[in-house]
Amino acid sequence: MNTNLIHPDMIDSLGNFFPEVCTIQEFDVTKNGYNEPTKSWSDKFTDLKCAIGEAAGKDLNMEDKRGDKTVRKATHRIVLKDAYDVSEKDRVKIGSDYFDVLLVTEGVRGVKTSLICQKLSI
């Protein structure tokens, strides 16, 4: 899907192109009552319009070589309507599914953010 062809003035008229709603979460480490580190996730952005699809083409280059095996890490591409400050340390929640962000690219003219992700089993 080549979403770089979308003109910024047309992005708002493409509501059906972004049928899903997602939350971007960031990783936090805090101290509990015993001064031990506690890991948690907190919402960074909520109710973002997005589109999700299985990773294909060049996204499949996100692989790990482990001895004689190749493990595909990229499972999905998520496209966010508008530009957001998302990093590879964040994760995406769509419904009850979670995705680790492997790669972030911003579209031309800042009208979208593309995320190459790996679906998590939680």
Side-chain angles (χ1 to χ4, degrees):
M1 159 176 32
N2 187 354
T3 56
N4 289 330
L5 299 175
I6 301 171
H7 191 277
D9 294 337
M10 292 182 62
I11 200 82
D12 289 328
S13 66
L14 297 174
N16 291 335
F17 185 74
F18 300 99
E20 304 288 338
V21 176
C22 69
T23 299
I24 305 296
Q25 297 181 326
E26 61 186 345
F27 183 73
D28 293 323
V29 177
T30 57
K31 302 282 183 170
N32 65 14
Y34 299 104
N35 204 28
E36 299 171 327
T38 303
K39 300 174 184 178
S40 65
W41 291 91
S42 62
D43 293 350
K44 186 174 182 179
F45 302 108
T46 58
D47 299 325
L48 303 181
K49 291 188 173 263
C50 67
I52 182 170
E54 289 195 16
K58 66 180 178 180
D59 302 339
L60 297 177
N61 293 333
M62 301 292 294
E63 297 176 336
D64 269 345
K65 298 280 187 191
R66 295 182 188 165
D68 62 344
K69 293 189 274 185
T70 300
V71 179
R72 179 178 163 209
K73 293 183 356 180
T75 60
H76 291 81
R77 174 187 287 268
I78 299 171
V79 180
L80 306 175
K81 181 182 173 195
D82 295 322
Y84 293 94
D85 182 23
V86 180
S87 78
E88 285 81 10
K89 296 178 183 176
D90 297 334
R91 74 178 181 184
V92 181
K93 180 182 180 211
I94 300 176
S96 61
D97 294 326
Y98 291 87
F99 303 86
D100 264 345
V101 177
L102 303 175
L103 180 67
V104 179
T105 58
E106 187 176 310
V108 178
R109 300 181 186 110
V111 296
K112 69 173 181 68
T113 304
S114 289
L115 309 173
I116 305 300
C117 301
Q118 177 183 30
K119 187 172 183 179
L120 301 173
S121 299
I122 294 181

